[in-house]
Amino acid sequence: MNTSVISVSSAWNYLKQNLNLDGKYQELDRNEVDACAEFIANHNLVDFSKELVWQKLYNDTRNRIIPNFWSGFEGTKNENSGYESYREAAKILNTDIQRLEHYFSLLDRLSGNAVPKSFDQYQAHLSAILLSQIPPKFESCVNFFYTKAFRAFMSLEKRNFNFDGDESGDVITHCSGCDQEIDQCECNVILDNCHSTNKALAELGILEKLSVGMIHTLILTQIQTHVQDSCVGNFASSQIEMLEKWLQNIIFRWLGIVYGEDYIQQDQVRKNFTQFLYHAYTHARIEQLFEIIIGYPESFPSVKDLQECLSRTQLKPILAQSLKTTLEARLLHQGATTEDILIAYVSAIRAFSVLDPTGVLLDVACDPIKQYLRLRGDTVRHIIHSLTDSSGELGGELELGRTGTAILDEESVAAVGDTETSTDWENWVPAPSDADPSKLWTGKKPGDIVPMLVNIYGSKSLFVKEYRKLLSDRLLLNLHFDTEEEIRNLEFLKIRFGENELHNCEVMLKDVADSKRINSHLQSVVHKPEFPILAMIISAQYWDQLKDKPMKLPIKIINQLEQYNQNYKTVKTSRSLHWVPQSGSVELELEFDNNRSVSFTVPPDLAAIISHFEDKEQWDLEELSQEMELPMSHLRRREISTDRFKVDENGPQFTGHKILLETLAKMEEEEEDDEEEDNDRKSEEDGLQVYWSYVVGMLTNLESLPVERIHQMLKMFTMQGSSGAECTLQQLKNFLDSKVKQQLLSFSSGMYRLPKP
């Protein structure tokens, strides 16, 4: 048209025909766009025309382009069809929008944009409509597409760069990426399709909006799976550095392929995926924490890795709770021995001193172990045995603290791992935010195991008492008077517990040294016994109570002991010995009819039983009991028929020194242990009786109190004096419960009361 003035109708018809505003979907050519732009400018129709073009684009997008895109996902059934659906739909969408290119050029010319802006505006509209109409199968198609592409990528990485390569060294003939034979591998084709699809969607500005959530989910799943596979049963080597390398070389490279290098250079993107790696690793190790602790120190690299991850995550509470649950299920039950539980606890102390030097995690996670061990009657015994046995689990712990370690007092025992007094105010540090506010915080590191073990009971008196008992038993069975190791242990214990507490033990060791010297001297006297006698001459008031049960020895043994006593008087004038026949040991050698002889060591009472069979081959139980003045229960374990003993001329059917009598000695020792526990319990109650009047006074004035409050008041007002017996919370509870059984107290709802008159 050449006229400068045209009617609206004519203008509309021209634009409708040349810009396909009538619903036609023909692609414009460059010449048509130029002509339309000139026409619009000449007739001052810019705003009117822009609105018409945008309406055209919006209608085409909503009515044709987007339905065409979504229709491609309707037939998705499996990974292959989902992969193809996503690829084809992206291709069709890109083609359809490319046909609109000249419209964007026209809009930019009409708007006078030096830099194209119309397409960016259209992208925002396209994204909004697409995201508002996502069909149900779209998410699975995206997962199928990128899972297949990632698998192809990983397969090529393994083959091309030998990253995480085949450990068996076998030649790979089948591709794990495309599930084809190697010579027909389609992984490169799959990755090329992935590149072209990503490029098409990226050019439209909708790649991240359509796929980022699902791709991230895929990547996170891959990270989690890889971490789990890397950590299974592998505690002896560090994994964090290798996992970070894998994240850099595989995951970030893959994201660069999908979204471009600019995407993975974003600090927040890298930080998010690295943080998830640490979370995945921490969760994997939390599931294996019990095995890691039991395997320490071989598992030290895993502990260091976990320490690093805990400093980057907020998973300490989850770790503590998970370990508590695992310990209760796998360790804290009757099927586990006290020794096994102690070994696990010591390993936990060592591992947690690296994992969390503040001691907070150890305090929270292992508190159930302490509570459980406190209820086991043999805990203290096992601890002392292990500490003083060089071949035991704790054999070197006493020596570790021999330099610069303060004496353990009750305050330092109560503070977990604290081996110094709490008056070091200059080095005071505030409690960590995750520390238990109900417990005293000292700021000390829980590196020393001995205070941690003593802390199970909160009092050192039990340990000192048990050590005296153990030392007494060991020395009485020490036929060679060798005390070098015991002296060494005592010196280390004195550093820990103080010399005053262990004075009795020093006297006991001195008695052994004196006994060795006296025995050596008596070997030179004129009147020697018929058989060697080595006496342990003790200061009875310093030793643990001995087993001084009445027993009549054979006359020839009595005569020899009396001869030894006479010889002793020549050395120690005005002194005589009181023999304790059931303490000590006897070395015997028995000869049998088959010309065999067997040597073994037994307690004196069992040696006395054997000696009676030199004169008589068979004894009735009652007869032997009267002869030896021993209860029949003591003799009932070697019968050939009811209440009768007889010599076995063939002897024991084994080689070596251990025989049935040693088993009998062990059985007897168990009976004596039971008796000792009863005696200890009675002795403990007698010792606490001094507090009974105070308890009665408290309950008279305050009516009812829990055991914790009673214990606190007793410690405040009565236990500070030197004459007061030490009393732990558990001992006090046992004492009060005994009073309940005697109906001197009543107990309900956790409160103790005096019974109503």
Side-chain angles (χ1 to χ4, degrees), residues 209-231:
K209 295 175 182 178
L210 286 179
S211 63
V212 69
M214 285 162 278
I215 288 181
H216 282 190
T217 300
L218 167 66
I219 295 302
L220 297 181
T221 301
Q222 293 295 330
I223 292 175
Q224 197 165 28
T225 301
H226 183 76
V227 168
Q228 290 284 355
D229 292 343
S230 300
C231 295

Side-chain angles (χ1 to χ4, degrees), residues 691 694-695 698 702 705 707-722 724-729 732:
Y691 299 127
Y694 293 98
V695 174
M698 292 178 199
L702 301 176
L705 288 171
V707 65
E708 292 82 5
R709 180 60 175 158
I710 296 174
H711 186 255
Q712 185 179 18
M713 295 174 69
L714 287 175
K715 286 182 66 176
M716 187 179 302
F717 297 113
T718 66
M719 295 183 187
Q720 300 300 324
S722 58
E726 291 188 79
C727 173
T728 66
L729 182 63
L732 178 62

Side-chain angles (χ1 to χ4, degrees), residues 18-38:
N18 288 277
L19 297 179
N20 297 325
L21 300 179
D22 55 359
K24 295 179 180 179
Y25 302 127
Q26 298 176 8
E27 185 175 359
L28 297 180
D29 59 31
R30 180 80 178 183
N31 294 331
E32 291 175 337
V33 171
D34 291 340
C36 286
E38 183 179 355

